[in-house]
């Protein structure tokens, strides 16, 4: 009986071994799979930086596509202006309506214009405009260049002795870099106007008084970093939108994917750049 | 009357028969004689095909993700001829012409265009080489955001710099008339039918007076009537602009209408080369599947 038990034990120990082997194989398969994912991830990052490098290099090439650059500036500004107008106005209005009761509790309603102006100029204006532009411009660039890739228009451009990087990418990236700060300033102005409108819902605040109080609270240290970071927002949105469109696959499905991933990545970059900008501003000012 | 010269190795009869064994793929020079091409292609104009080659491809190999698409492919395009590259979808035909214009880089082998090795060209050299080659894309590849006029002006202004406004307008009107679409000047590509888009695309290609034309499935997706029109245009371009052309297709009617010589590609290799006559009379099962 003992022997049988002993034999059974031996047998049990023996059957465990294949399980171990199976687990080792599975583990190695998982490792290989993860290695492949990691390789893909890092090659994507490498490709992106290479794309950025080429864009930067082509920006300083001799033949700049000025006409196309102006066309893209107009397109970006024109496409985004209505959206930015409404958003800017609503931000100011909502911020004022929400803040007024809290400030009234402390008897500090007179600080309302300055508080709203600082928060709009420093943070709300740039980030909200940046995120809207990431959605509107980033997706537009991703989809446009993606569809041009799918329908061989980029190849056609290349065989027409035109550098597509210079014509399509550099012009769009520069236009976004230039136009987004302008759109942010416009949104800031409309936000303060919206705030004045909000302040007048429960009171009668003269326009000149509101604006003089608002701008007396804003200093150069509020204004400059906020404007500088929007140039980086613009560049990031332009580069990501173009990269996703330019490297889209061959099928029509890839156009949608390019547009979606451009929005997601550009929005993420806007938030990350904002975080870095806040840290740098905190150190410098 | 001048006749067409043509490749050797075909079963032509008569005094103009080429010297046996002169197979262009093997690299031999065609006899500078006048050999009549007896295929279905109209011989209007009786153009003379010169014996020198304009494109020479040797042992070309190209693969994607361990899938070898072109395997040791060699061919020559002779001056003034229409060479049809025939084959099934996925046999590497489009890859071949994209390698010629260096939209794709080959893994191995050499491509010489007018004697220059395409793979060794500098950026400037490549741009100059591309100026001599017209490429008609399968989809037409018209720029969606531009009107027909802007589409045509785009390559013209970049390749033929220094033209006056009047010269540009004249050239645009001329090529549009050549493809029979003079009235579409200010239309957007989205307002045009598939056949019209192809024709505008052809006009955009010929506007810079290319010496070589590469057609990537020019009749795909078109009805038979429009396909015939495009085939006629290909012949007209060859006659009027004295181009040498490679036509990638699997449309047999287009082959019959345009081919001076045919190369059949199967699994990335040259399967058979010859005249339309040879292909018509072939008993080979794969060829018969095309030439039913």
């Amino acid at each position: 009986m003992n022997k049988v038990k002993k034999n059974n034990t031996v047998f049990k120990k023996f059957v465990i071994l294949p399980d171990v082997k199976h687990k080792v194989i599975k583990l190695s398969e998982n490792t290989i799979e993860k290695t492949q994912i990691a390789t893909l991830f890092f090659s994507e990052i490498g490709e992106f930086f290479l794309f950025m490098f080429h864009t930067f290099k082509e920006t300083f090439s001799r033949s700049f596509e000025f006409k196309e650059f102006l066309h893209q500036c107009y397109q970006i500004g024109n496409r985004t202006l209505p959206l930015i107008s409404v958003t800017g106005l609503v931000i100011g209005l909502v911020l004022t309506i929400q803040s007024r009761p809290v400030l009234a509790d402390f008897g500090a309603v007179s600080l309302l214009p300055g508080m709203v102006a600082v928060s709009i100029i420093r943070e709300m204006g740039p980030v909200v405009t940046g995120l809207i532009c990431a959605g509107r411009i980033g997706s537009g660039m991703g989809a446009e260049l993606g569809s041009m890739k799918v329908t061989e228009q980029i190849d056609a451009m290349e065989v027409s002795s035109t550098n597509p990087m210079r014509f399509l990418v550099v012009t769009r990236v520069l236009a976004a870099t230039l136009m987004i700060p302008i759109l942010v300033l416009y949104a800031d102005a409309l936000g303060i106007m919206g705030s004045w409108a909000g302040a007048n819902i429960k009171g009668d605040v003269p326009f000149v008084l509101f604006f003089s109080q608002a701008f007396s609270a804003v200093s150069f240290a509020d204004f400059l970093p906020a404007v500088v970071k929007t140039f980086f927002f613009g560049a990031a949105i332009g580069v990501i939108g173009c990269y996703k469109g330019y490297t889209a696959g061959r099928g029509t499905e890839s156009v949608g994917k390019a547009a979606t991933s451009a929005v997601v990545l550009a929005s993420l970059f806007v938030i990350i750049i904002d975080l870095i900008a806040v840290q740098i501003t905190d150190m410098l000012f | 009357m001048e006749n067409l010269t043509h490749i050797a190795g075909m079963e032509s009869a008569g005094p103009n028969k080429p010297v046996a064994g002169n197979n262009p793929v093997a690299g031999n020079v065609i006899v500078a004689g006048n050999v009549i091409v007896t295929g279905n292609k109209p011989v209007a104009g009786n153009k003379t095909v010169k014996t020198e080659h304009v494109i020479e491809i040797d042992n070309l190999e190209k693969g994607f993700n361990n899938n070898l698409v072109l395997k040791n492919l060699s061919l020559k395009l002779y001056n003034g001829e229409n060479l049809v590259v025939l084959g099934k979808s996925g046999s590497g035909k489009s890859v071949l012409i994209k390698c010629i214009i260096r939209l794709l880089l080959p893994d191995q082998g050499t491509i010489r265009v007018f004697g220059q090795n395409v793979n060794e060209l500098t950026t400037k050299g490549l741009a100059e080489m591309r100026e001599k080659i017209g490429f008609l894309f399968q989809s037409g590849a018209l720029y969606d955001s531009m009107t027909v006029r802007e589409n045509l002006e785009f390559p013209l202004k970049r390749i033929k710099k220094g033209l006056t406004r009047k010269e540009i307008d004249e050239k645009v009107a001329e090529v549009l008339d050549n493809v029979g679409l003079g009235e579409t000047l200010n239309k957007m590509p989205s307002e045009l039918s598939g056949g019209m888009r192809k024709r505008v695309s052809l006009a955009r290609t010929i506007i810079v007076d290319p010496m070589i034309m590469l057609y990537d499935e020019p009749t795909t997706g078109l009805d038979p009537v429009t396909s015939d029109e495009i085939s006629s245009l290909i012949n007209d371009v060859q006659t009027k602009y004295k181009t040498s052309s490679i036509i990638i297709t699997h449309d047999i009617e287009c082959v019959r209408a345009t081919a001076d010589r045919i190369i059949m590609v199967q699994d990335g290799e040259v399967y058979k080369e010859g005249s339309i006559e040879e292909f018509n009379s072939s008993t080979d099962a794969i060829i018969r599947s095309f030439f039913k």
Side-chain angles (χ1 to χ4, degrees):
Chain A
M1 189 73 177
N2 276 343
K3 200 179 176 183
V4 173
K5 267 187 179 176
K6 198 181 174 184
N7 282 345
N8 273 352
T9 314
V10 170
F11 180 71
K12 274 180 184 172
K13 275 183 183 172
F14 180 74
V15 292
I16 286 166
L17 281 172
D19 278 339
V20 172
K21 192 182 171 187
H22 179 72
K23 278 178 183 171
V24 169
I25 291 168
K26 203 173 176 185
L27 186 71
S28 70
E29 277 173 357
N30 284 345
T31 312
I32 291 165
E33 198 180 311
K34 284 194 170 70
T35 312
Q36 283 170 344
I37 292 167
T39 311
L40 265 174
F41 175 72
F42 285 111
S43 61
E44 175 91 14
I45 288 177
E47 210 177 317
F48 178 67
F49 278 102
L50 205 63
F51 183 84
M52 267 174 65
F53 171 74
H54 281 303
T55 307
F56 190 74
K57 199 180 97 184
E58 292 299 337
T59 304
F60 298 102
S61 67
R62 267 183 289 174
S63 45
F64 180 66
E65 302 280 354
F66 190 71
K67 207 175 161 191
E68 179 63 13
F69 166 71
L70 287 181
H71 175 69
Q72 287 306 321
C73 285
Y74 172 74
Q75 285 291 318
I76 288 171
N78 190 35
R79 271 190 294 187
T80 330
L81 205 64
L83 205 58
I84 296 292
S85 306
V86 175
T87 316
L89 209 66
V90 170
I91 286 172
L93 196 69
V94 169
L95 209 60
T96 306
I97 294 168
Q98 295 270 28
S99 311
R100 194 188 172 101
V102 182
L103 288 172
D105 287 347
F106 292 97
V109 181
S110 61
L111 295 177
L112 185 70
M115 192 212 77
V116 172
V118 169
S119 57
I120 284 178
I121 289 171
R122 283 186 79 138
E123 200 57 34
M124 296 295 282
V127 173
V128 172
T129 309
L131 288 174
I132 286 173
C133 288
R136 188 73 186 83
I137 300 167
S139 67
M141 285 179 183
E144 191 182 7
L145 295 194
S147 73
M148 284 185 83
K149 179 85 182 274
V150 169
T151 55
E152 298 175 307
Q153 291 175 51
I154 293 179
D155 286 344
M157 208 166 268
E158 209 169 328
V159 299
S160 303
S161 287
T162 303
N163 185 334
M165 280 293 283
R166 205 176 295 160
F167 188 82
L168 297 171
V169 178
V170 171
T171 52
R172 279 166 175 76
V173 172
L174 285 183
T177 311
L178 182 76
M179 290 309 290
I180 287 176
I182 294 171
L183 289 168
V184 167
L185 291 176
Y186 173 72
D188 288 351
L190 278 179
I192 295 167
M193 293 275 281
S195 176
W196 173 69
N200 273 287
I201 292 173
K202 286 187 178 177
D204 185 20
V205 187
F207 184 78
V208 178
L209 177 69
F210 186 89
F211 269 75
S212 66
Q213 280 199 356
F215 283 105
S216 64
V218 179
S219 69
F220 188 67
D222 296 317
F223 188 73
L224 184 72
V227 172
V228 170
K229 74 180 172 188
T230 56
F231 283 99
F232 288 95
F233 288 174
I237 292 166
V239 170
I240 291 164
C242 289
Y243 169 73
K244 284 292 170 187
Y246 206 82
T247 55
R250 287 282 172 189
T252 44
E253 188 196 359
S254 57
V255 178
K257 275 185 184 171
T260 311
S261 54
V263 175
V264 173
L265 213 59
S267 305
L268 189 71
F269 265 68
V270 166
I271 303 288
I272 291 169
I273 290 168
D274 188 50
L275 179 71
I276 296 166
V278 165
Q279 294 295 322
I280 293 170
T281 310
D282 202 36
M283 281 191 290
L284 294 177
F285 297 97
Chain B
M1 186 176 94
E2 255 186 343
N3 296 316
L4 291 165
T5 55
H6 196 50
I7 59 158
M10 57 185 270
E11 299 299 320
S12 303
N16 293 324
K17 185 179 177 182
V19 173
N22 280 343
N23 185 344
V25 172
N28 296 330
V29 178
I30 301 169
V31 169
N34 294 326
V35 179
I36 298 166
V37 174
T38 51
N40 292 358
K41 186 184 171 185
V43 287
N46 295 315
K47 59 195 181 317
T48 300
V49 180
K50 290 171 190 167
T51 53
E52 72 267 28
H53 54 259
V54 288
I55 294 178
E56 183 183 18
I57 298 172
D58 279 320
N59 303 318
L60 186 69
E61 276 194 21
K62 177 69 187 170
F64 300 96
N65 302 325
N66 302 324
N67 174 31
L68 205 55
V69 178
L70 296 176
K71 302 165 197 164
N72 270 329
L73 192 140
S74 300
L75 63 83
K76 285 179 181 173
L77 173 69
Y78 291 91
N79 195 2
E81 75 168 339
N82 273 355
L83 170 67
V84 169
V85 178
L86 180 68
K88 284 195 294 187
S89 296
S91 57
K93 309 183 299 290
S94 297
V95 173
L96 168 70
I97 54 169
K98 284 185 178 172
C99 283
I100 293 173
I101 202 152
R102 217 171 91 177
L103 282 173
L104 293 172
L105 275 173
D107 299 333
Q108 269 184 45
T110 54
I111 300 168
R112 291 183 185 279
V113 177
F114 296 114
Q116 287 182 300
N117 190 338
V118 172
N119 301 335
E120 292 171 359
L121 288 174
T122 58
T123 311
K124 196 183 168 201
L126 182 64
E128 283 170 2
M129 186 272 285
R130 281 174 172 169
E131 286 170 11
K132 296 172 192 162
I133 301 178
F135 195 114
L136 182 71
F137 287 88
Q138 193 176 342
S139 59
L142 292 178
Y143 308 126
D144 291 332
S145 57
M146 300 181 191
T147 61
V148 168
R149 175 200 284 276
E150 287 164 344
N151 262 285
L152 296 175
E153 285 179 0
F154 189 85
L156 189 64
K157 283 178 179 171
R158 281 152 198 282
I159 293 173
K160 299 203 177 262
K161 288 172 183 156
L163 291 178
T164 61
R165 184 70 250 171
K166 194 182 166 206
E167 287 168 330
I168 290 170
D169 287 345
E170 281 172 2
K171 192 73 185 168
V172 167
E174 180 200 321
V175 290
L176 265 185
D177 283 343
N178 282 345
V179 297
L181 288 173
E183 76 286 358
T184 61
L185 199 61
N186 294 314
K187 285 190 174 174
M188 296 300 285
S190 56
E191 296 173 76
L192 305 176
S193 68
M196 287 162 100
R197 287 168 73 98
K198 273 268 164 69
R199 282 195 279 171
V200 172
S201 186
L202 181 58
R204 185 180 66 179
T205 310
I206 58 176
I207 200 166
V208 290
D209 302 321
M211 297 161 86
I212 298 171
M213 284 292 297
L214 304 175
Y215 299 93
D216 189 5
E217 303 200 11
T219 57
T220 297
L222 302 176
D223 62 85
V225 177
T226 314
S227 293
D228 285 348
E229 287 171 5
I230 297 288
S231 300
S232 301
L233 277 173
I234 291 171
N235 287 331
D236 292 347
V237 167
Q238 186 196 20
T239 312
K240 189 165 184 183
Y241 294 89
K242 310 275 183 263
T243 55
S244 318
S245 313
I246 294 180
I247 302 149
I248 302 291
T249 190
H250 44 61
D251 173 8
I252 291 307
E253 290 313 311
C254 177
V255 176
R256 289 193 171 118
T258 59
D260 289 326
R261 185 161 61 101
I262 304 168
I263 284 179
M264 187 166 187
V265 177
Q266 177 80 3
D267 297 327
E269 292 172 295
V270 173
Y271 183 75
K272 165 89 178 161
E273 182 186 353
S275 65
I276 187 84
E277 287 280 293
E278 283 180 296
F279 275 77
N280 269 332
S281 59
S282 174
T283 52
D284 185 284
I286 294 173
I287 296 173
R288 289 306 331 143
S289 65
F290 280 93
F291 289 81
K292 281 171 189 169

